């Protein structure tokens, strides 16, 4: 399924960090964009299963702005500073005619989504994060060997990226061989709860986005990130992650609940790091308050306070 099948068009938007390639469309006349941000080793295509699932439910996502972040997809690098990237994401939405937005990010994209909401609290109506990268991931990124026990699969990926970067131009043909022989599909198994049930095209698409330089640059840029800025977020924040996610520390959810005024964390019992790929319908339901949000909070207003560290777990047949 390509962009045109989903009613999206390719647009290139100039920003302060360089041109950003976007798939946008399905305008409804609503001034609120639905901004989608992929994670590291991804592109806008990460969101295809979720968009398709929304159509199948006859509750289609509208006003979509699906971004290829700098360094991935069709957007050239380098990977910018997180603060500059947050400004660029807002600039993309505004350039496409949207003064406000709901914003959803996966993994690294989740951190960027929260940064956008913190910097532009009066323009962000809601935030959804899918398996967001937190302090646990940054700790492992800084010291993958010493902190490997915390998130061993992530530590292994960081080390693998370092090896691929050291291989330079040899890394691309190596990845092509791994993809052609099916070994890359096997190496991607830890990312999913049921890897054999994931379309081979999905893992192949991930393979094309394995960009060691961009991945390690993003890890480097995130090392000094101050999560405290998220205290400025005044809109609802809804989080969903797979119970079998090997890249996210469960402790992060408790830390974030103390930082944000209106935060809710939900766990899908049968997903890994890509809940929106493995269980797109359940992910849509878990983020239902994000899709329905239309108005930004009044200046200076806060959301309702959730109990600190509240986490909800759902089985496959949950109707949330």
């Amino acid at each position: 399924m390509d962009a045109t099948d989903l009613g999206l068009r390719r647009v290139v938007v100039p920003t302060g960090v360089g041109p950003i390639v976007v798939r946008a469309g399905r305008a409804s006349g609503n001034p609120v964009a639905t901004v989608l941000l992929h994670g590291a080793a991804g592109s806008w295509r990460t969101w295809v299963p979720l968009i398709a699932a929304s159509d199948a439910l006859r509750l289609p996502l509208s006003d979509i702005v699906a971004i290829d972040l700098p360094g991935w997809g069709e957007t050239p690098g380098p990977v910018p500073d997180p603060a500059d990237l947050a400004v660029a994401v807002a600039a993309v939405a505004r350039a496409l005619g949207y003064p406000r937005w709901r914003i959803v990010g996966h993994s690294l994209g989740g951190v960027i989504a929260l940064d956008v909401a913190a910097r532009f609290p009066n323009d962000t109506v809601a935030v959804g994060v899918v398996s967001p990268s937190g302090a646990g991931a940054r700790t492992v990124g800084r010291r993958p060997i010493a902190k490997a026990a915390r998130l061993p699969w992530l530590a292994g990926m960081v080390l693998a990226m370092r090896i691929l970067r050291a291989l330079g131009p040899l890394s691309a043909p190596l990845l092509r061989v791994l993809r052609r022989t099916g070994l890359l599909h096997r190496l991607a198994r830890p990312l999913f709860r049921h890897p054999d049930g994931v379309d081979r095209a999905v893992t192949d698409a991930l393979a094309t986005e394995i960009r060691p330089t961009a991945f390690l640059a993003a890890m480097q840029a995130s090392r000094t990130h101050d999560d405290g800025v998220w205290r400025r977020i005044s809109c609802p924040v809804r989080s969903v992650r797979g119970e079998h996610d090997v890249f996210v520390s469960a402790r992060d959810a408790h830390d974030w609940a103390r930082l944000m005024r209106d935060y809710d964390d939900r766990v899908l019992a049968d997903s890994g790091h890509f809940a929106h790929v493995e269980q797109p319908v359940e992910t849509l339901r878990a983020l239902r308050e994000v899709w329905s949000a239309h108005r930004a909070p009044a200046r200076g207003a806060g959301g309702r306070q959730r109990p600190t560290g509240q986490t909800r777990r759902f089985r496959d047949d949950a109707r949330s």
Side-chain angles (χ1 to χ4, degrees), residues 9-25 33 35 37 64-72 74-77 80 84-98 101:
R9 68 189 189 283
R10 182 181 182 276
V11 183
V12 181
V13 180
T15 73
V17 300
I20 291 182
V21 179
V22 181
R23 270 35 179 222
V35 179
L37 305 176
I64 291 174
V65 178
I67 293 175
D68 277 348
L69 294 171
W72 284 284
E74 295 182 43
T75 298
D84 293 335
L85 185 51
V87 172
V89 168
V92 168
R94 288 172 176 157
L96 295 174
Y98 295 102
W101 47 79

Side-chain angles (χ1 to χ4, degrees), residues 36-301:
L36 303 176
L37 305 176
H38 64 80
S43 73
W44 79 273
R45 295 195 62 82
T46 298
W47 299 105
V48 169
L50 192 80
I51 298 170
S54 77
D55 292 344
L57 290 174
R58 296 186 179 180
L59 295 169
L61 298 183
S62 64
D63 302 282
I64 291 174
V65 178
I67 293 175
D68 277 348
L69 294 171
W72 284 284
E74 295 182 43
T75 298
V79 175
D81 176 88
D84 293 335
L85 185 51
V87 172
V89 168
V92 168
R94 288 172 176 157
L96 295 174
Y98 295 102
R100 300 192 302 280
W101 47 79
R102 64 182 67 83
I103 185 165
V104 180
H106 169 242
S107 195
L108 171 66
V111 174
I112 299 167
L114 291 168
D115 283 351
V116 172
R119 183 172 285 268
F120 303 99
N122 296 306
D123 304 318
T124 307
V125 303
V127 178
V129 289
V130 182
S131 292
S133 300
R138 291 197 294 276
T139 298
V140 173
R142 283 193 294 268
R143 303 173 63 191
I145 297 177
K147 299 296 182 179
R150 193 164 181 177
L151 292 169
W153 286 108
L154 178 59
M157 174 171 276
V158 173
L159 293 173
M161 291 294 184
R162 289 180 178 180
I163 293 171
L164 289 170
R165 183 177 63 179
L167 289 174
L170 295 177
S171 63
L174 173 61
L175 288 170
R176 282 196 296 270
V177 169
L178 291 175
R179 185 166 61 250
R180 191 182 311 120
T181 58
L183 289 175
L184 200 57
H185 183 78
R186 292 181 176 276
L187 292 174
R189 294 178 72 87
L191 297 173
F192 303 97
R193 169 62 171 159
H194 298 291
D196 292 332
V198 176
D199 191 327
R200 175 71 176 269
V202 172
T203 53
D204 282 352
L206 289 174
T208 64
E209 294 300 330
I210 295 178
R211 305 185 187 186
T213 300
F215 181 91
L216 294 173
M219 294 293 289
Q220 178 68 30
S222 69
R223 287 185 177 187
T224 57
H225 189 277
D226 177 16
D227 291 2
V229 300
W230 296 336
R231 291 189 178 93
R232 303 174 191 166
I233 297 174
S234 52
C235 66
V237 177
R238 299 294 176 259
S239 175
V240 59
R241 54 192 169 90
E243 186 173 16
H244 302 275
D245 194 330
V246 296
F247 286 176
V248 174
S249 169
R251 191 165 64 190
D252 290 337
H254 298 290
D255 294 340
W256 289 12
R258 287 193 290 268
L259 286 172
M260 295 175 234
R261 301 170 186 173
D262 187 0
Y263 177 86
D264 190 31
D265 178 56
R266 299 189 177 203
V267 178
L268 298 183
D270 211 31
S271 286
H273 189 59
F274 284 79
H276 57 310
V277 171
E278 290 194 274
Q279 292 185 283
V281 171
E282 289 77 4
T283 300
L284 284 165
R285 289 181 175 132
L287 300 179
R288 66 190 183 280
E289 292 173 80
V290 177
W291 314 124
S292 62
H294 294 289
R295 295 185 61 186
R299 186 177 297 275

